[in-house]
Amino acid sequence: MNATPHAPHIEQTGRIGHTVFSIWEPRQRRAGASDVPVVLLHGASSSRRTWSPLLPALAGRDVIAVDIRGHGDSGFPDGRRNRAEVSLDVAAVLDTLEIGRAAFLGASLGAALSINLAEQRPDLAAGLVLEDPPLRAGTEPASFVEEMREHLARAAALSPAEVIDDVRKAMPLASDDEVRIVAEDRQRFDVRFTEYGLDWFLRPWREVFAEVACPITVLAGEPALGSVVTAVEEADCLRLLNAPSRFLRLPGAGHSIRRDVPAAYHEAVLAALDDIDRAERGGPDGWPEAGSAVPGKD
């Protein structure tokens, strides 16, 4: 792995098979803290670079960001593949690095993968923080996935100049550097990923939520501004999530909450991570020890 400084962290990059990842180790840990590591999973046609603005808020924690296969620096393996392997790529990184239990912070596609990692590998999931997850897929699975495939295919067919124009229209307040990074990530995206990588959206997330034995925080924007979490999914989340799990709508945000309202987003993420830390310690709020049943869920 190659190491480079990134205040307040030291960054190392590495590759396991076709999967490229970065690890940010804190220069200074919080006194007396036993913080769980945080695993960052980006959205479709993005990369681990999207998380750079969040790193200062995660000072004191170990952070791992993975480029999902077909995205960023990660390759796209040939041969017959299936959706399960997408999230198992992430599990392989954590197993190889002996990370142990971690909090998964996922955006959109990354949120869907986080949910399914908690289902496939509950031993790795200390908690989930889900940024505008595509829960509508559980209500309208076939149409939602087809919309996503068509959208990503159209974006992949654009010229470099058209990509930049498209990103500027979608992110009018973004800096030139941020627009450049997003545009580069879109151009590097391997559209073959859509052949099966979006099939995670077809999973019955309500059943998974009812079974996952770790804290879950769902962060949603406003549907009028582009959030994909509708009032239907909000009602189901409120019904299924028991404290300290929670559902939060952040005013003024659309689908990309971390870009639209960064201060509120950082505050919500840190509160969720504190809950996950307490849960791992069997905290004073009464959340059970890791691996035991969730209160109110049989």
Side-chain angles (χ1 to χ4, degrees), residues 104-146:
F104 290 91
L105 170 53
S108 193
L109 169 66
L113 294 184
S114 298
I115 294 169
N116 288 282
L117 270 163
E119 179 187 28
Q120 288 182 292
R121 292 291 305 274
D123 57 308
L124 295 178
L128 309 179
V129 186
L130 310 174
E131 179 187 349
D132 216 55
L135 302 180
R136 183 165 68 88
T139 307
E140 310 167 34
S143 62
F144 185 90
V145 170
E146 190 56 36

Side-chain angles (χ1 to χ4, degrees), residues 145-209:
V145 170
E146 190 56 36
E147 287 174 16
M148 283 290 297
R149 286 191 174 119
E150 291 177 359
H151 169 75
L152 292 170
R154 284 195 301 270
L158 297 176
S159 69
E162 289 172 328
V163 171
I164 290 177
D165 288 343
D166 192 54
V167 173
R168 286 194 185 281
K169 290 176 184 176
M171 301 165 48
L173 301 180
S175 67
D176 289 344
D177 190 52
E178 188 170 19
V179 169
R180 176 185 57 80
I181 290 174
V182 172
E184 288 175 354
D185 285 343
R186 288 190 183 181
Q187 291 173 276
R188 300 169 72 193
F189 172 62
D190 192 324
V191 74
R192 291 179 297 170
F193 178 83
T194 65
E195 294 172 6
Y196 62 84
L198 302 180
D199 288 351
W200 278 123
F201 296 164
L202 302 176
R203 294 288 295 128
W205 65 269
R206 292 167 181 82
E207 296 176 16
V208 179
F209 272 23

Side-chain angles (χ1 to χ4, degrees), residues 18-57:
H18 55 266
T19 305
V20 175
F21 59 91
S22 291
I23 300 177
W24 289 278
E25 295 181 276
R27 293 181 180 275
Q28 185 173 0
R29 299 185 185 276
R30 297 194 296 178
S34 55
D35 301 332
V36 299
V38 180
V39 178
L40 305 176
L41 298 175
H42 59 77
S45 74
S46 186
S47 79
R48 70 191 192 281
R49 297 191 299 173
T50 193
W51 297 108
S52 294
L54 180 63
L55 290 176

Side-chain angles (χ1 to χ4, degrees), residues 129-132 217-227 229 234 246-269:
V129 186
L130 310 174
E131 179 187 349
D132 216 55
T217 293
V218 177
L219 304 177
E222 299 182 55
L225 298 177
S227 170
V229 182
E234 177 178 356
R246 68 186 81 178
F247 177 96
L248 297 173
R249 278 212 188 271
L250 279 70
H255 186 52
S256 183
I257 302 172
R258 65 192 179 283
R259 294 191 181 105
D260 295 339
V261 288
Y265 176 79
H266 292 175
E267 181 180 358
V269 166

